Amino acid sequence: MKRSVWDNRPMRRLAVTALALLLFLFACGWLVSAALVRDNVDVLVARDAKVAGLLIEKYPEDTDAITQILAGVSDVAEETERTGSEALAKWGYQTGMPWSLNAAISTIPRGVRWFITLWGAVMVLALFGCGLWSFRRIYRDMRALTLQASEAVRVGAPVSAMAGEGDFAALQNAVHAMSQRLQHTIAELAADKAYLKDFLSDVSHQFKTPIAAMSIQNDLLLAQPDMPLAQRQQFVQRNIAQLEHMQFLVSGLLKQARLESGTVVMRMEMQPLLDTVRTALQANEPLAERRGVACHTDIPADLSLCHDAAWLAEAVGNLIKNAVEHTGAGGHVYISAKSTPMTVQLCVRDTGSGIAREDLPHVFERFYRARGSDKDSVGIGLALAQSIVERLGGDISVESAYGAGATFTITFLTQM
């Protein structure tokens, strides 16, 4: 937005004050000029009186005629005026004759001269003081803003905003917004630093256990070359399980990192939700069979949703895996979906051990393991599921009671 000088409050205040002083000076000058004109009139009347007196003394018998002539001098014809000017010129009394500034000033009464001198000095000092006062206020505000900006850089102190209008107020508010942004950036950097520290600590903790277990088992294999084949195969199977565990952890962390960095491009297409759920279920069938858990689906074949099938299958698959891991042999996992005029809801419900009330607020935190979790659980599946669902524009929630199973619900708004 283009701004004019008049929008600047200090400049506007200075201009208004100077204008008021100039108007006052003009009024005073007009009064002084009127007084000078009145004095000059008095001088002319006195001179005419002297002329009249001289003429009357010389020609006393023509008093009335002389008076009439002087009273009507303003109505004299040009020819008469020229005749009089020629007569006076013989005696050096004419226009343009030599004069001096001192003589001209001396015709002004002394009181008026002192008044003009003092008033002129007062006006000059008043204008100078007005300018000095205005610029002092400007530089005082500039020094205060500079000090606040220095404190913002040194210790992160905020720069206060300024209410009002004008260029300086706009400048201070811009610096205020910049300091707010700087504080926000500093807070984000501190949060990122703390997050990275916690993340590295959690990752190292997650890898420490399987690496230590593999190291011990490999040392035993090397130290006992005559170990029975069955025991050797058991150790190898354990190593394979630990490798699968770490592979799942690395894969999950990479996927979540891609989601949080915004590098994932969701391919949103309108497609049947049942096909996506079947893909997620197939990936968890071996785990469900091994644990003796039955999975059931209840999703209308004509229920379609605009979504990225691969990523939603990943999220649902993590929910199914979590449900299977927390459900004992003979338990059941139910995957259902329903649509309303406003939403599409996908539910994964199990008959397992459930989640304690104090654990519910933390189940979607990365590496969080609730009580009763499987010993092989790494606590990343639910966090990844939440990240995926949120990137797809949905919401995920959980309802559970300890010992009564859990229900995870994914909700999407329908496309209008």
Side-chain angles (χ1 to χ4, degrees), residues 351-406:
T351 60
S353 58
I355 305 172
R357 177 178 300 179
E358 54 270 26
D359 290 327
L360 280 176
H362 308 287
V363 293
F364 293 111
E365 295 178 5
R366 183 160 44 203
F367 300 127
Y368 184 82
R369 294 178 60 187
R371 65 192 64 189
S373 297
D374 189 274
K375 62 182 180 65
D376 294 328
S377 175
V378 296
I380 196 175
L382 295 181
L384 179 58
Q386 183 186 47
S387 298
I388 294 172
V389 171
E390 290 178 350
R391 280 297 308 275
L392 291 172
D395 180 70
I396 186 170
S397 59
V398 58
E399 294 179 358
S400 179
Y402 193 67

Side-chain angles (χ1 to χ4, degrees), residues 280-302:
L281 191 57
Q282 288 174 359
N284 287 281
E285 283 180 351
L287 177 63
E289 291 178 358
R290 189 165 62 249
R291 290 179 172 266
V293 177
C295 296
H296 312 274
T297 58
D298 181 18
I299 300 175
D302 60 347

Side-chain angles (χ1 to χ4, degrees), residues 20-320:
L21 288 174
L22 289 175
L23 289 175
F24 185 65
L25 177 61
F26 174 79
C28 292
W30 185 86
L31 293 175
V32 172
S33 299
L36 291 174
V37 170
R38 184 172 62 251
D39 291 342
N40 288 334
V41 169
D42 293 342
V43 170
L44 292 175
V45 171
R47 188 175 186 82
D48 289 345
K50 292 177 182 179
V51 172
L54 291 173
L55 290 174
I56 290 172
E57 288 178 358
K58 188 170 183 64
Y59 306 103
E61 67 281 1
D62 296 328
T63 300
D64 292 337
I66 293 171
T67 304
Q68 291 178 359
I69 291 172
L70 291 175
V73 70
S74 60
D75 297 329
V76 173
E78 292 183 3
E79 183 66 24
T80 303
E81 181 181 357
R82 185 165 49 252
T83 301
S85 296
E86 291 174 355
L88 292 174
K90 295 178 180 180
W91 303 97
Y93 191 80
Q94 59 185 347
T95 58
M97 61 184 180
W99 65 282
S100 66
L101 180 62
N102 291 333
I105 294 176
S106 65
T107 61
I108 303 175
R110 179 177 297 179
V112 175
R113 285 181 300 194
W114 277 108
F115 176 80
I116 293 174
T117 303
L118 292 176
W119 190 251
V122 168
M123 288 298 100
V124 171
L125 291 175
L127 289 174
F128 178 77
C130 177
L132 184 64
W133 174 74
S134 297
F135 282 105
R136 180 177 176 274
R137 288 176 60 92
I138 293 174
Y139 283 104
R140 182 195 64 188
D141 294 340
M142 290 178 62
R143 285 193 295 269
L145 179 58
T146 302
L147 180 60
Q148 291 188 55
S150 300
E151 289 297 309
V153 173
R154 188 173 65 87
V155 297
V159 176
S160 60
M162 175 181 287
E165 58 183 11
D167 292 334
F168 191 82
L171 173 62
Q172 179 146 353
N173 290 331
V175 175
H176 168 73
M178 184 174 63
S179 70
Q180 293 289 98
R181 180 58 184 168
L182 178 62
Q183 286 186 308
H184 180 68
T185 302
I186 292 174
E188 285 184 337
L189 291 175
D192 290 343
K193 183 178 180 180
Y195 171 80
L196 181 60
K197 179 181 177 181
D198 295 339
F199 176 77
L200 293 176
S201 176
D202 291 336
V203 170
S204 63
H205 177 74
Q206 292 293 329
F207 278 101
K208 185 184 300 181
T209 301
I211 290 176
M214 291 176 62
S215 178
I216 292 173
Q217 293 173 35
N218 287 337
D219 289 342
L220 290 175
L221 288 172
L222 292 174
Q224 302 179 24
D226 55 348
M227 179 184 296
L229 180 60
Q231 188 176 3
R232 185 180 296 273
Q233 290 177 342
Q234 184 180 10
F235 281 179
V236 172
Q237 290 296 329
R238 290 177 182 174
N239 284 343
I240 293 174
Q242 296 294 346
L243 288 173
E244 291 176 350
H245 174 84
M246 289 190 292
Q247 183 179 6
F248 175 78
L249 178 61
V250 171
S251 176
L253 290 174
L254 290 176
K255 291 175 182 177
Q256 188 154 15
R258 290 176 58 197
L259 289 168
E260 292 177 352
S261 64
T263 59
V264 174
V265 178
M266 296 293 178
R267 303 182 184 279
M268 307 294 284
E269 297 179 1
M270 185 65 70
Q271 46 196 320
L273 187 58
L274 180 59
D275 294 345
T276 302
V277 172
R278 284 175 176 169
T279 301
L281 191 57
Q282 288 174 359
N284 287 281
E285 283 180 351
L287 177 63
E289 291 178 358
R290 189 165 62 249
R291 290 179 172 266
V293 177
C295 296
H296 312 274
T297 58
D298 181 18
I299 300 175
D302 60 347
L303 178 56
S304 295
L305 177 69
C306 185
H307 65 284
D308 186 307
W311 280 105
L312 184 57
E314 176 76 24
V316 176
N318 286 340
L319 295 181
I320 296 174

